[in-house]
Coordinates of all heavy atoms in Angstrom, one line a residue:
Chain A
R9 N 2.3 -40.2 -3.6 CA 3.0 -41.2 -2.8 C 3.5 -42.2 -3.6 O 2.9 -42.8 -4.4 CB 2.0 -41.8 -1.7 CG 2.7 -42.8 -0.9 CD 1.9 -43.3 0.3 NE 1.9 -42.4 1.4 CZ 0.8 -41.8 1.8 NH1 -0.4 -42.1 1.2 NH2 0.8 -40.9 2.7
H54 N -8.2 -26.6 12.6 CA -9.3 -27.1 11.8 C -10.6 -26.4 12.3 O -10.8 -26.4 13.5 CB -9.4 -28.6 11.9 CG -10.4 -29.2 11.0 ND1 -11.4 -30.1 11.3 CD2 -10.5 -29.0 9.7 CE1 -12.1 -30.4 10.3 NE2 -11.6 -29.8 9.2
T62 N -1.0 -30.1 10.8 CA 0.2 -29.7 10.1 C 0.0 -29.9 8.6 O -0.4 -31.0 8.2 CB 1.4 -30.4 10.6 OG1 1.4 -30.5 11.9 CG2 2.7 -29.7 10.2
Y74 N -11.4 -25.2 4.9 CA -11.8 -25.8 6.1 C -11.0 -25.5 7.3 O -11.3 -25.9 8.4 CB -11.8 -27.3 5.9 CG -12.8 -27.8 4.8 CD1 -12.3 -28.4 3.7 CD2 -14.1 -27.7 5.0 CE1 -13.3 -28.8 2.7 CE2 -15.0 -28.1 4.1 CZ -14.5 -28.7 2.9 OH -15.4 -29.1 1.9
D87 N 16.6 -19.9 8.1 CA 16.9 -18.5 8.4 C 18.1 -18.1 7.5 O 19.2 -18.7 7.6 CB 17.3 -18.3 9.9 CG 17.5 -16.8 10.2 OD1 17.5 -16.1 9.3 OD2 17.8 -16.6 11.4
N89 N 20.1 -19.1 4.7 CA 20.1 -20.5 4.1 C 20.5 -21.5 5.0 O 20.9 -22.7 4.6 CB 21.1 -20.4 2.9 CG 22.5 -19.9 3.3 OD1 22.7 -19.5 4.4 ND2 23.4 -20.0 2.4
F92 N 17.5 -23.8 11.0 CA 17.6 -23.6 12.5 C 16.4 -24.1 13.2 O 16.5 -24.3 14.4 CB 17.8 -22.1 12.7 CG 16.5 -21.3 12.7 CD1 16.0 -20.7 13.8 CD2 15.9 -21.1 11.5 CE1 14.9 -20.0 13.8 CE2 14.8 -20.3 11.4 CZ 14.2 -19.8 12.6
E98 N 11.6 -31.4 11.0 CA 11.1 -32.8 11.2 C 9.7 -33.0 10.5 O 9.5 -34.0 9.9 CB 10.9 -33.0 12.7 CG 10.8 -34.4 13.1 CD 10.9 -34.6 14.6 OE1 11.6 -33.8 15.3 OE2 10.2 -35.6 15.0
Y99 N 8.9 -32.0 10.5 CA 7.6 -32.1 9.8 C 7.9 -32.4 8.4 O 7.2 -33.2 7.7 CB 6.7 -30.9 10.0 CG 6.1 -30.7 11.3 CD1 6.2 -29.5 12.0 CD2 5.4 -31.7 11.9 CE1 5.6 -29.3 13.2 CE2 4.8 -31.6 13.2 CZ 4.9 -30.3 13.8 OH 4.4 -30.2 15.0
D102 N 9.2 -35.8 7.8 CA 8.1 -36.8 7.9 C 7.3 -36.9 6.7 O 7.1 -38.0 6.1 CB 7.1 -36.3 9.0 CG 7.6 -36.7 10.4 OD1 8.6 -37.5 10.5 OD2 6.9 -36.3 11.3
R107 N 5.7 -39.6 1.7 CA 5.4 -39.6 0.4 C 6.3 -40.5 -0.5 O 6.0 -40.9 -1.6 CB 5.4 -38.2 -0.2 CG 4.2 -37.4 0.3 CD 2.9 -38.0 0.0 NE 1.9 -37.5 0.9 CZ 0.9 -36.7 0.6 NH1 0.9 -36.2 -0.6 NH2 0.0 -36.4 1.4
G112 N 8.1 -49.7 7.3 CA 9.1 -50.3 8.2 C 9.4 -49.5 9.4 O 8.8 -48.4 9.6
S113 N 10.3 -49.9 10.2 CA 10.4 -49.2 11.5 C 11.5 -48.2 11.5 O 11.6 -47.4 12.4 CB 10.7 -50.2 12.6 OG 11.9 -50.9 12.3
R114 N 12.3 -48.1 10.5 CA 13.2 -47.1 10.4 C 13.7 -46.9 8.9 O 13.4 -47.7 8.1 CB 14.5 -47.4 11.3 CG 15.1 -48.7 11.0 CD 16.0 -49.1 12.1 NE 17.3 -48.4 11.9 CZ 18.4 -49.0 11.5 NH1 18.4 -50.3 11.3 NH2 19.5 -48.3 11.3
V129 N 28.4 -25.5 12.5 CA 28.4 -26.9 12.9 C 27.2 -27.2 13.8 O 26.8 -28.4 13.9 CB 29.8 -27.2 13.7 CG1 29.8 -26.5 15.1 CG2 30.0 -28.7 13.9
Q130 N 26.7 -26.2 14.5 CA 25.5 -26.5 15.3 C 24.4 -27.0 14.4 O 23.7 -28.0 14.8 CB 25.0 -25.2 15.9 CG 25.6 -25.0 17.3 CD 24.9 -23.9 18.1 OE1 23.8 -23.6 17.7 NE2 25.5 -23.5 19.1
T142 N 15.9 -39.9 15.4 CA 14.5 -40.0 15.2 C 14.2 -41.0 14.0 O 13.2 -41.6 14.0 CB 13.9 -38.6 14.8 OG1 14.4 -37.7 15.8 CG2 12.4 -38.7 15.0
K194 N 37.9 -21.3 0.4 CA 38.5 -20.1 0.8 C 38.2 -18.9 -0.1 O 38.2 -17.8 0.3 CB 40.1 -20.3 0.8 CG 40.5 -20.9 2.1 CD 42.0 -20.6 2.4 CE 42.4 -21.4 3.5 NZ 43.6 -22.2 3.3
C197 N 32.4 -16.7 -1.9 CA 31.9 -15.4 -1.6 C 30.4 -15.5 -1.6 O 29.8 -16.1 -2.4 CB 32.4 -14.4 -2.7 SG 31.9 -12.7 -2.4
R198 N 29.8 -14.9 -0.6 CA 28.3 -15.0 -0.4 C 27.7 -13.7 -0.2 O 28.1 -12.9 0.7 CB 28.0 -15.9 0.8 CG 26.5 -16.1 1.0 CD 26.1 -16.8 2.3 NE 26.2 -15.8 3.4 CZ 27.0 -16.0 4.4 NH1 27.8 -17.0 4.5 NH2 26.9 -15.0 5.4
T199 N 26.7 -13.4 -1.0 CA 25.9 -12.1 -0.8 C 24.5 -12.5 -0.4 O 23.9 -13.4 -0.9 CB 25.8 -11.3 -2.0 OG1 27.1 -10.9 -2.4 CG2 25.0 -10.0 -1.8
N200 N 23.9 -11.8 0.6 CA 22.6 -12.2 1.1 C 21.5 -11.6 0.3 O 20.6 -10.9 0.8 CB 22.4 -11.8 2.6 CG 23.5 -12.4 3.5 OD1 23.8 -13.6 3.2 ND2 23.9 -11.7 4.4
Q212 N 6.0 -5.5 -3.4 CA 5.9 -4.2 -2.8 C 5.6 -3.1 -3.8 O 4.7 -2.3 -3.6 CB 7.1 -3.9 -1.9 CG 7.5 -4.8 -0.8 CD 6.5 -4.7 0.3 OE1 5.7 -3.7 0.5 NE2 6.4 -5.7 1.1
P219 N -2.9 0.2 -5.2 CA -3.3 -0.2 -3.9 C -4.7 -0.8 -3.9 O -5.1 -1.5 -3.1 CB -3.4 1.1 -3.2 CG -3.3 2.2 -4.2 CD -2.7 1.6 -5.3
Y244 N 21.2 -1.0 -17.4 CA 20.0 -0.5 -16.7 C 19.6 1.0 -17.2 O 18.5 1.3 -17.4 CB 20.2 -0.5 -15.2 CG 19.0 -0.1 -14.4 CD1 18.0 -1.1 -14.2 CD2 18.8 1.2 -14.0 CE1 16.8 -0.7 -13.5 CE2 17.7 1.5 -13.3 CZ 16.7 0.5 -13.1 OH 15.6 0.9 -12.3
A245 N 20.6 1.8 -17.3 CA 20.4 3.2 -17.6 C 19.7 3.4 -19.0 O 18.8 4.2 -19.1 CB 21.7 4.0 -17.5
N478 N 2.9 15.4 4.7 CA 4.4 15.5 4.5 C 5.1 15.9 5.8 O 6.3 16.2 5.8 CB 4.7 16.4 3.4 CG 4.3 15.8 2.1 OD1 4.5 14.7 1.8 ND2 3.5 16.6 1.3
N480 N 5.7 14.2 8.3 CA 5.9 12.9 9.1 C 7.0 13.1 10.1 O 7.1 12.3 11.0 CB 6.1 11.7 8.2 CG 6.8 12.1 7.0 OD1 6.9 13.3 6.6 ND2 7.2 11.1 6.2
L571 N -6.9 12.5 -0.5 CA -6.5 11.1 -0.3 C -6.7 10.7 1.2 O -6.2 11.3 2.1 CB -5.1 10.8 -0.7 CG -4.8 10.8 -2.1 CD1 -3.3 10.8 -2.4 CD2 -5.4 9.6 -2.8
P573 N -5.7 8.4 4.1 CA -4.6 7.5 4.2 C -4.9 6.1 4.6 O -4.3 5.2 4.2 CB -3.8 8.1 5.4 CG -4.7 9.0 6.1 CD -5.7 9.5 5.1
R599 N 13.6 -3.8 -13.3 CA 14.1 -3.1 -12.1 C 14.3 -4.1 -10.9 O 15.2 -3.9 -10.2 CB 13.0 -2.0 -11.7 CG 13.4 -1.3 -10.4 CD 12.3 -0.3 -10.1 NE 12.5 0.2 -8.8 CZ 11.7 1.2 -8.3 NH1 10.7 1.6 -8.9 NH2 11.9 1.6 -7.1
V610 N 18.1 -2.2 -2.5 CA 17.2 -2.6 -1.5 C 17.9 -2.5 -0.1 O 17.4 -3.0 0.9 CB 16.7 -4.1 -1.6 CG1 15.6 -4.1 -2.6 CG2 17.8 -5.0 -2.0
G611 N 18.9 -1.7 -0.1 CA 19.5 -1.3 1.2 C 20.5 -2.4 1.7 O 20.9 -2.3 2.9
Q614 N 26.2 -4.9 0.1 CA 27.2 -5.9 -0.3 C 27.4 -5.8 -1.8 O 26.6 -5.2 -2.5 CB 26.7 -7.3 0.1 CG 26.7 -7.5 1.6 CD 26.4 -8.9 1.9 OE1 25.3 -9.4 1.6 NE2 27.3 -9.6 2.6
A615 N 28.4 -6.6 -2.2 CA 28.7 -6.6 -3.6 C 27.6 -7.3 -4.4 O 27.1 -8.3 -4.0 CB 30.0 -7.3 -3.8
E619 N 30.5 -8.0 -9.2 CA 31.7 -7.7 -8.3 C 32.1 -8.9 -7.5 O 33.3 -9.0 -7.2 CB 31.2 -6.6 -7.4 CG 32.3 -5.6 -7.1 CD 31.8 -4.5 -6.2 OE1 30.6 -4.0 -6.4 OE2 32.5 -4.3 -5.2
R627 N 40.3 -13.7 -3.6 CA 40.4 -14.4 -2.3 C 41.1 -15.7 -2.4 O 41.5 -16.3 -1.4 CB 39.0 -14.6 -1.7 CG 38.5 -13.4 -0.9 CD 37.2 -13.9 -0.3 NE 36.5 -12.8 0.4 CZ 35.3 -12.8 0.9 NH1 34.6 -13.9 0.8 NH2 34.8 -11.7 1.5
R717 N 33.0 -30.6 12.3 CA 33.2 -29.3 11.8 C 34.1 -29.4 10.6 O 34.0 -28.6 9.6 CB 33.9 -28.4 12.9 CG 33.5 -26.9 12.7 CD 34.0 -26.2 13.9 NE 35.4 -26.4 14.2 CZ 36.4 -25.9 13.5 NH1 36.2 -25.0 12.6 NH2 37.7 -26.2 13.8
Chain B
E2 N -13.5 -33.4 7.0 CA -14.3 -33.5 5.8 C -13.7 -34.6 4.9 O -12.5 -34.9 4.9 CB -14.3 -32.2 5.0 CG -15.1 -31.1 5.7 CD -14.3 -30.5 6.8 OE1 -13.2 -30.9 7.0 OE2 -14.8 -29.5 7.4
E4 N -13.3 -34.8 1.7 CA -12.3 -34.5 0.6 C -11.0 -34.2 1.2 O -9.9 -34.4 0.6 CB -12.9 -33.3 -0.3 CG -13.3 -32.1 0.5 CD -13.8 -31.0 -0.4 OE1 -13.8 -31.3 -1.6 OE2 -14.1 -30.0 0.1
V5 N -11.0 -33.6 2.4 CA -9.7 -33.4 3.0 C -8.9 -34.6 3.3 O -7.7 -34.8 3.1 CB -9.9 -32.5 4.3 CG1 -8.6 -32.4 5.1 CG2 -10.4 -31.1 4.0
E9 N -5.5 -36.1 1.4 CA -4.3 -36.4 2.3 C -3.6 -35.0 2.6 O -2.4 -35.0 2.5 CB -3.4 -37.4 1.8 CG -4.0 -38.8 1.8 CD -3.0 -39.8 1.5 OE1 -2.0 -39.9 2.3 OE2 -3.1 -40.5 0.6
L12 N -0.8 -33.8 7.7 CA 0.2 -34.7 8.0 C -0.2 -35.6 9.1 O -0.6 -35.2 10.1 CB 1.5 -33.9 8.4 CG 2.8 -34.6 8.5 CD1 3.3 -35.0 7.1 CD2 3.8 -33.7 9.2
T17 N 5.3 -44.7 11.1 CA 5.8 -46.0 11.5 C 7.4 -46.0 11.5 O 8.0 -46.7 12.3 CB 5.3 -47.2 10.6 OG1 5.5 -46.7 9.3 CG2 3.8 -47.4 10.8
F18 N 7.9 -45.3 10.6 CA 9.3 -45.4 10.5 C 10.1 -44.5 11.5 O 11.4 -44.5 11.4 CB 9.8 -45.1 9.0 CG 9.2 -43.7 8.6 CD1 9.7 -42.5 8.9 CD2 8.1 -43.8 7.8 CE1 9.2 -41.3 8.5 CE2 7.5 -42.6 7.3 CZ 8.1 -41.4 7.7
K19 N 9.4 -43.9 12.3 CA 10.2 -43.0 13.3 C 10.3 -43.7 14.6 O 9.5 -44.4 15.1 CB 9.4 -41.7 13.5 CG 9.5 -40.8 12.3 CD 8.6 -39.6 12.5 CE 9.3 -38.6 13.5 NZ 8.5 -37.4 13.4
R20 N 11.5 -43.5 15.2 CA 11.7 -44.1 16.5 C 11.0 -43.3 17.6 O 10.4 -43.9 18.5 CB 13.2 -44.0 16.8 CG 14.0 -45.1 16.1 CD 15.2 -45.5 16.9 NE 16.2 -46.0 16.1 CZ 17.5 -45.8 16.3 NH1 17.9 -45.0 17.2 NH2 18.4 -46.4 15.5
I21 N 11.2 -42.0 17.5 CA 10.5 -41.2 18.5 C 9.5 -40.3 17.7 O 9.8 -39.6 16.8 CB 11.5 -40.2 19.1 CG1 12.7 -41.0 19.6 CG2 10.8 -39.5 20.3 CD1 13.8 -40.0 20.0
I23 N 6.6 -37.4 17.0 CA 6.8 -36.0 17.2 C 6.0 -35.5 18.4 O 6.4 -34.5 19.1 CB 6.4 -35.2 15.9 CG1 7.1 -33.8 15.9 CG2 4.9 -35.0 15.8 CD1 7.3 -33.2 14.5
K26 N 8.1 -36.0 21.4 CA 9.2 -35.0 21.5 C 8.7 -33.7 21.9 O 9.4 -33.0 22.7 CB 9.9 -34.9 20.1 CG 11.4 -34.9 20.2 CD 12.0 -34.4 18.9 CE 12.6 -35.5 18.2 NZ 13.4 -35.1 17.0
K37 N 17.4 -21.4 18.3 CA 18.4 -20.3 18.2 C 18.3 -19.7 16.8 O 18.4 -20.5 15.9 CB 19.8 -20.8 18.5 CG 20.1 -20.9 19.9 CD 21.6 -21.0 20.1 CE 21.9 -21.2 21.5 NZ 23.2 -21.7 21.8
L39 N 19.7 -17.5 13.6 CA 21.0 -17.6 12.9 C 22.1 -16.8 13.6 O 23.2 -17.2 13.8 CB 20.9 -17.2 11.5 CG 22.2 -17.3 10.6 CD1 22.7 -18.7 10.5 CD2 22.0 -16.7 9.3
A45 N 27.4 -18.3 18.8 CA 27.9 -19.5 19.6 C 29.0 -20.3 19.0 O 29.6 -21.1 19.6 CB 26.7 -20.4 19.9
E46 N 29.2 -20.1 17.7 CA 30.2 -20.9 17.0 C 31.6 -20.5 17.5 O 32.5 -21.3 17.4 CB 30.1 -20.6 15.5 CG 28.9 -21.2 14.8 CD 29.0 -22.7 14.6 OE1 30.1 -23.1 14.0 OE2 28.2 -23.4 15.0
Y51 N 39.2 -20.1 16.0 CA 39.8 -20.9 14.9 C 40.7 -20.0 14.1 O 40.5 -18.8 14.0 CB 38.7 -21.6 14.1 CG 37.9 -22.4 15.0 CD1 36.5 -22.1 15.2 CD2 38.4 -23.6 15.6 CE1 35.7 -22.9 16.0 CE2 37.6 -24.4 16.4 CZ 36.3 -24.0 16.6 OH 35.5 -24.8 17.5
D54 N 42.1 -17.9 8.4 CA 42.0 -18.2 7.0 C 41.2 -19.4 6.7 O 41.0 -19.8 5.5 CB 43.3 -18.2 6.3 CG 44.3 -19.1 7.1 OD1 44.1 -19.2 8.3 OD2 45.2 -19.6 6.5
E55 N 40.7 -20.1 7.7 CA 39.8 -21.2 7.4 C 38.5 -20.7 7.1 O 37.9 -19.8 7.8 CB 39.7 -22.0 8.7 CG 39.7 -23.5 8.5 CD 39.5 -24.2 9.8 OE1 38.4 -24.2 10.3 OE2 40.6 -24.6 10.4
Y58 N 31.3 -19.7 8.0 CA 30.1 -19.0 7.5 C 30.3 -17.5 7.5 O 29.7 -16.8 6.6 CB 28.9 -19.4 8.5 CG 27.6 -19.0 7.8 CD1 26.9 -19.8 6.9 CD2 27.0 -17.8 8.2 CE1 25.7 -19.4 6.4 CE2 25.7 -17.4 7.6 CZ 25.2 -18.3 6.7 OH 23.9 -17.9 6.2
I61 N 33.1 -15.9 4.7 CA 33.0 -15.9 3.2 C 31.9 -14.9 2.7 O 31.6 -14.8 1.6 CB 32.5 -17.3 2.8 CG1 31.2 -17.7 3.4 CG2 33.6 -18.4 3.0 CD1 30.7 -19.0 2.8
E62 N 31.5 -14.1 3.7 CA 30.5 -13.1 3.2 C 31.2 -12.0 2.4 O 32.3 -11.7 2.5 CB 30.0 -12.5 4.5 CG 28.7 -11.7 4.3 CD 27.8 -11.8 5.4 OE1 27.9 -12.7 6.3 OE2 26.9 -10.9 5.6
S63 N 30.3 -11.4 1.5 CA 30.9 -10.5 0.5 C 31.2 -9.2 1.3 O 30.5 -8.7 2.2 CB 29.9 -10.1 -0.6 OG 29.5 -11.3 -1.2
P64 N 32.2 -8.5 0.8 CA 32.5 -7.1 1.4 C 31.5 -6.1 0.8 O 30.8 -6.4 -0.2 CB 33.9 -6.8 0.8 CG 34.0 -7.5 -0.4 CD 33.1 -8.8 -0.3
S66 N 30.0 -3.1 -1.4 CA 30.3 -2.9 -2.9 C 31.3 -1.7 -3.1 O 31.2 -0.7 -2.4 CB 29.0 -2.6 -3.6 OG 29.2 -2.2 -4.9
M67 N 32.1 -1.9 -4.0 CA 33.1 -0.8 -4.4 C 32.5 0.2 -5.4 O 33.0 1.3 -5.6 CB 34.4 -1.4 -4.9 CG 35.2 -2.1 -3.9 SD 35.9 -0.9 -2.7 CE 36.2 -2.0 -1.3
D75 N 12.6 6.4 -6.6 CA 11.9 5.4 -5.8 C 10.6 4.9 -6.4 O 10.2 3.8 -6.2 CB 11.6 6.0 -4.4 CG 12.8 5.9 -3.5 OD1 13.5 4.9 -3.6 OD2 13.0 6.8 -2.7
T77 N 9.4 5.6 -9.9 CA 9.3 5.1 -11.3 C 10.4 4.2 -11.7 O 10.3 3.4 -12.6 CB 9.4 6.3 -12.3 OG1 10.5 7.0 -12.0 CG2 8.2 7.2 -12.1
G78 N 11.5 4.3 -11.0 CA 12.6 3.4 -11.3 C 13.6 3.9 -12.3 O 14.5 3.3 -12.7
E80 N 16.6 6.2 -13.9 CA 17.9 6.7 -13.3 C 17.8 8.2 -13.0 O 17.1 8.9 -13.8 CB 19.0 6.4 -14.3 CG 19.4 5.0 -14.3 CD 20.9 4.8 -14.0 OE1 21.7 5.5 -14.6 OE2 21.2 4.1 -13.0
R112 N 11.8 16.6 2.6 CA 10.8 16.3 3.6 C 10.5 14.9 3.8 O 10.3 14.4 4.9 CB 9.5 17.0 3.2 CG 8.8 17.6 4.4 CD 7.3 17.9 4.0 NE 7.2 19.3 3.4 CZ 6.1 19.8 3.0 NH1 5.0 19.1 3.1 NH2 6.1 21.0 2.5
R127 N 4.9 14.4 -3.3 CA 4.4 15.4 -2.3 C 2.9 15.0 -2.0 O 2.4 15.4 -0.9 CB 4.5 16.8 -2.8 CG 5.8 17.4 -2.5 CD 6.0 17.6 -1.0 NE 7.4 17.8 -0.7 CZ 8.0 19.0 -0.5 NH1 7.3 20.1 -0.8 NH2 9.2 19.0 -0.1
S128 N 2.2 14.4 -2.9 CA 0.8 14.1 -2.5 C 0.6 12.8 -1.9 O -0.5 12.4 -1.6 CB 0.0 14.2 -3.8 OG 0.4 13.0 -4.6
N131 N 1.4 9.5 4.3 CA 2.6 9.1 5.1 C 2.8 7.6 5.0 O 4.0 7.2 4.9 CB 2.4 9.5 6.5 CG 3.7 9.4 7.3 OD1 4.8 9.3 6.7 ND2 3.6 9.3 8.6
E132 N 1.7 6.9 5.0 CA 1.9 5.4 5.0 C 2.7 5.0 3.8 O 3.6 4.2 3.8 CB 0.5 4.8 5.0 CG 0.5 3.3 5.3 CD -0.8 2.7 4.9 OE1 -1.7 3.5 4.6 OE2 -0.8 1.5 4.7
Y133 N 2.3 5.5 2.6 CA 2.9 5.1 1.4 C 4.4 5.5 1.4 O 5.3 4.8 0.9 CB 2.2 5.6 0.2 CG 0.9 5.0 -0.1 CD1 0.0 5.5 -1.0 CD2 0.5 3.8 0.6 CE1 -1.2 4.9 -1.2 CE2 -0.7 3.2 0.4 CZ -1.6 3.8 -0.5 OH -2.8 3.2 -0.7
L140 N 11.4 -0.1 1.1 CA 11.9 -0.9 0.0 C 13.4 -0.8 0.0 O 14.2 -1.7 -0.4 CB 11.4 -0.4 -1.4 CG 10.0 -0.8 -1.8 CD1 9.7 -0.2 -3.1 CD2 9.8 -2.3 -1.8
R141 N 13.9 0.5 0.4 CA 15.3 0.7 0.3 C 15.9 0.6 1.7 O 17.1 0.8 1.9 CB 15.6 2.2 0.0 CG 15.9 2.5 -1.4 CD 16.5 3.8 -1.6 NE 15.5 4.9 -1.4 CZ 15.9 6.0 -0.7 NH1 17.0 6.1 -0.1 NH2 15.0 6.9 -0.5
K142 N 15.1 0.1 2.6 CA 15.5 0.0 4.0 C 15.9 1.3 4.6 O 16.9 1.5 5.4 CB 16.7 -1.0 4.2 CG 16.3 -2.4 4.0 CD 17.1 -3.3 4.8 CE 16.7 -4.8 4.7 NZ 16.9 -5.4 3.4

Side-chain angles (χ1 to χ4, degrees):
Chain A
R9 181 172 282 115
H54 192 230
T62 317
Y74 293 115
D87 182 355
N89 54 355
F92 80 111
E98 196 171 330
Y99 287 130
D102 273 354
R107 290 302 157 107
S113 61
R114 49 195 281 252
V129 72
Q130 268 194 17
T142 316
K194 277 210 186 122
C197 185
R198 179 189 82 241
T199 299
N200 297 328
Q212 298 290 339
Y244 185 83
N478 292 312
N480 32 347
L571 287 168
R599 176 180 172 180
V610 278
Q614 288 187 301
E619 221 182 311
R627 279 187 183 170
R717 209 171 54 79
Chain B
E2 290 80 356
E4 53 180 0
V5 169
E9 290 193 60
L12 193 71
T17 49
F18 48 82
K19 285 173 81 169
R20 281 209 207 144
I21 313 170
I23 206 157
K26 223 196 251 190
K37 278 199 181 159
L39 181 64
E46 287 283 306
Y51 303 112
D54 47 332
E55 221 181 78
Y58 192 82
I61 60 174
E62 197 148 333
S63 308
S66 171
M67 290 291 158
D75 277 325
T77 54
E80 281 240 308
R112 218 195 272 179
R127 274 292 162 92
S128 71
N131 191 20
E132 190 200 347
Y133 290 168
L140 286 181
R141 262 198 293 138
K142 292 213 175 65

